[in-house]
């Protein structure tokens, strides 16, 4: 059938035969005839390779050598699909008899060929067509190559390391990642409507305050303390913090002396009415992994007053002034009363969505069936064993047994207002810009059980693609995504009620129950 020897294998065989022939001719013939023999052999090799490539291209299109429709089970046919420079032979199934028909025949996974992309030395990518079992075999290095079409904004301390590990390892996808801050060239490519530029943007989203605290602790861990026994380095110790630390007297001064290793003290210094706030603002920006969400998604904020937003909303998104047709939020949130987050479930559905988009539903279902057993071979590599327990590699809690300091209500409030635009941006992912839906209703569960309030306002003049943040995957997945984003807002929404006054006023008037 369609299963055949990968292109590279036969080509290598031809080249090996040519080398052996040339070597033999040199042994048999004298020096005077070497040049003539070499020219003859090179010409012959070029002719053979040209013929082989022509035959290969013909084999990628329906021909007499391919199975005829009459030889296939009823309701099934082969079809050649063209998707962004990749030729794929997809096994299309038109009826419910895709897995078994009236004669008892089953659809073989080898009837679907996937594009196997392998990165070689020099960042080169070689591609060949292989069956699903070959693609997902333990020895295989195949990846689904989405680098030209998908960009992943890896926001710091929001599960990005886990996401990359699972998408690349378990799900065998190869995306274009941006970390630890936005890359101007890639941002410009996303803004462009030019051909062959990325059209899908993925971003991981976590509560901004949780991210800030995690980033503070990570920076503290990576920076050498005065009596540190780890090996000193100027940079590059992010993945070996158990043995390496980065020498930075300036960071040590900020983290350990000014703010006593406590993110809550820095949070309180960010209060609007704090005298040293200007310095605290500068210090906060040195916490690399805490770059604001609004800065990551600045390309989706419409700053040009000449743009007619209502007209843009009613227009086709693909014809708008930005090159993104799909925007996907990947939330990391531990909802109140839950034992774990839904992050890994989101990742699984994200991989399903990307593969579905490239190969179609039938191929995606067969790929996921094949993928389940192979996950056991990859998952162990994504985490690190510490004291017999699996821990995330890129997390401060993995390398220290110290209990993280609890944020004071004042520090938490001031941080919430510092990240106010981030919360409003998350709100914008959940609502449409119609006047009736520009606020969020929430139940105050922290104090005196007041009635519902509407206090978080979405950002104005955001690109309409932002409202598609959870419009990916099946309907149940979309609801889970919205639920996680809503949970992020509910936890800290009360701090953004400026009608109460400053954070000091709000804290003094409100009774808090810790989460």
């Amino acid at each position: 059938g369609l299963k055949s020897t990968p292109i590279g294998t036969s080509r290598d065989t031809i080249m090996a035969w040519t080398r052996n022939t040339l070597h033999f001719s040199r042994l048999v013939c004298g020096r005077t005839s070497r040049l003539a023999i070499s020219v003859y052999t090179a010409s012959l090799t070029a002719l053979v390779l040209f013929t082989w490539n022509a035959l290969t291209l013909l084999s990628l299109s329906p021909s007499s050598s391919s199975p005829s429709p009459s030889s296939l089970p009823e309701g099934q046919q082969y079809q050649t699909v063209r998707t962004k420079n990749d030729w794929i032979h997809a096994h299309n199934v038109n009826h419910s008899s895709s897995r078994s028909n009236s004669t008892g025949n089953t659809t073989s996974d080898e009837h679907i060929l996937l594009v196997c992309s392998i990165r070689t030395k020099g960042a080169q990518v070689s591609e060949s067509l292989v069956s699903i079992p070959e693609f997902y075999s333990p020895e295989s290095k195949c990846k689904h190559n989405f680098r030209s079409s998908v960009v992943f904004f890896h926001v710091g301390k929001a599960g990005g390391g886990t996401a990359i590990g699972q998408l690349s390892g378990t799900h065998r996808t190869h995306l274009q990642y941006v970390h630890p801050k936005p890359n101007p060239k890639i941002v410009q490519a996303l803004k462009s409507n030019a051909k062959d530029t990325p059209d899908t943007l993925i971003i991981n989203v976590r509560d901004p305050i949780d991210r800030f605290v995690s980033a503070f602790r990570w920076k503290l861990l990576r920076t050498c303390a005065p009596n540190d026994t780890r090996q000193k380095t100027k940079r590059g110790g992010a993945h070996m913090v158990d043995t390496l630390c980065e020498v930075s007297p300036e960071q040590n001064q900020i983290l350990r002396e000014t703010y006593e290793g406590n993110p809550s003290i820095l949070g309180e210094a960010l209060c609007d009415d704090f005298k040293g706030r200007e310095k605290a603002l500068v210090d906060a920006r040195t916490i690399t992994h805490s770059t604001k969400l609004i800065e990551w998604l600045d390309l989706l904020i419409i700053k040009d007053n000449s743009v007619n937003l209502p007209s843009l909303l009613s227009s086709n998104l693909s014809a708008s002034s930005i090159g993104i047709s799909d925007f996907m939020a990947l939330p990391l949130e531990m909802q109140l009363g839950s034992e774990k987050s839904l992050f890994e479930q989101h990742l699984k559905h994200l991989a399903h969505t990307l593969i579905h988009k490239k190969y179609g539903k039938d191929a995606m279902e067969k790929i996921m069936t094949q993928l389940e057993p192979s996950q056991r071979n990859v998952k162990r590599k994504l985490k690190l064993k510490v004291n017999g327990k699996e821990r995330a590699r890129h997390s401060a809690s993995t390398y220290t047994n110290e209990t993280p300091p609890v944020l004071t209500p004042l520090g938490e409030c001031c941080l919430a207002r510092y990240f106010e635009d981030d919360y409003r941006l998350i709100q914008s992912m959940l609502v449409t810009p119609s006047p009736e839906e520009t606020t969020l209703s929430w139940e105050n569960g922290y104090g005196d059980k007041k009635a519902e309030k509407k206090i978080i306002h979405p950002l104005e003049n955001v690109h309409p693609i932002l409202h598609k943040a959870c419009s990916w995957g099946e309907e149940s997945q979309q609801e889970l995504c919205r639920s996680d984003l809503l949970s992020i807002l509910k936890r800290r929404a009360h701090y953004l009620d400026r009608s109460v006054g400053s954070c000091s006023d709000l804290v003094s008037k409100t009774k808090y129950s810790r989460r």
Side-chain angles (χ1 to χ4, degrees), residues 104-147:
N105 296 326
T106 59
T107 301
S108 171
D109 290 347
E110 295 186 359
H111 288 165
I112 298 178
L113 296 185
L114 306 180
V115 179
C116 169
S117 298
I118 300 177
R119 297 195 72 181
T120 58
K121 293 182 179 180
Q124 298 296 318
V125 177
S126 64
E127 294 186 339
S128 60
L129 297 176
V130 300
S131 65
I132 294 178
E134 289 173 325
F135 192 103
Y136 287 101
S137 68
E139 300 80 15
S140 171
K141 295 182 180 180
C142 293
K143 294 288 181 70
H144 300 289
N145 190 1
F146 294 100
R147 278 187 62 84

Side-chain angles (χ1 to χ4, degrees), residues 222 233-238 246-247:
R222 288 178 57 184
T233 181
K234 289 186 177 180
R235 57 180 303 176
E246 297 179 7
V247 178

Side-chain angles (χ1 to χ4, degrees), residues 162 166 329-335 338-350 472 476-485 487:
T162 299
Q166 293 225 10
L330 190 64
L332 171 60
E333 167 69 355
M334 180 80 76
Q335 294 196 29
S338 300
E339 295 183 356
K340 64 177 183 178
S341 72
L342 300 173
F343 192 62
E344 291 194 4
Q345 184 172 338
H346 293 322
L347 283 172
K348 181 178 179 180
H349 283 282
L350 176 63
W472 56 273
S476 58
Q477 166 59 29
Q478 296 179 21
E479 288 301 317
L480 291 175
C481 175
R482 294 189 188 98
S483 176
D484 273 356
L485 294 182
S487 174

Side-chain angles (χ1 to χ4, degrees), residues 390-418:
E390 284 192 344
R391 301 287 184 87
R393 290 181 178 272
H394 205 57
S395 172
S397 60
T398 298
Y399 302 95
T400 178
N401 294 321
E402 297 178 4
T403 303
V406 177
L407 288 176
T408 62
L410 180 61
E412 192 173 4
C413 177
C414 295
L415 281 172
R417 295 190 177 187
Y418 172 71

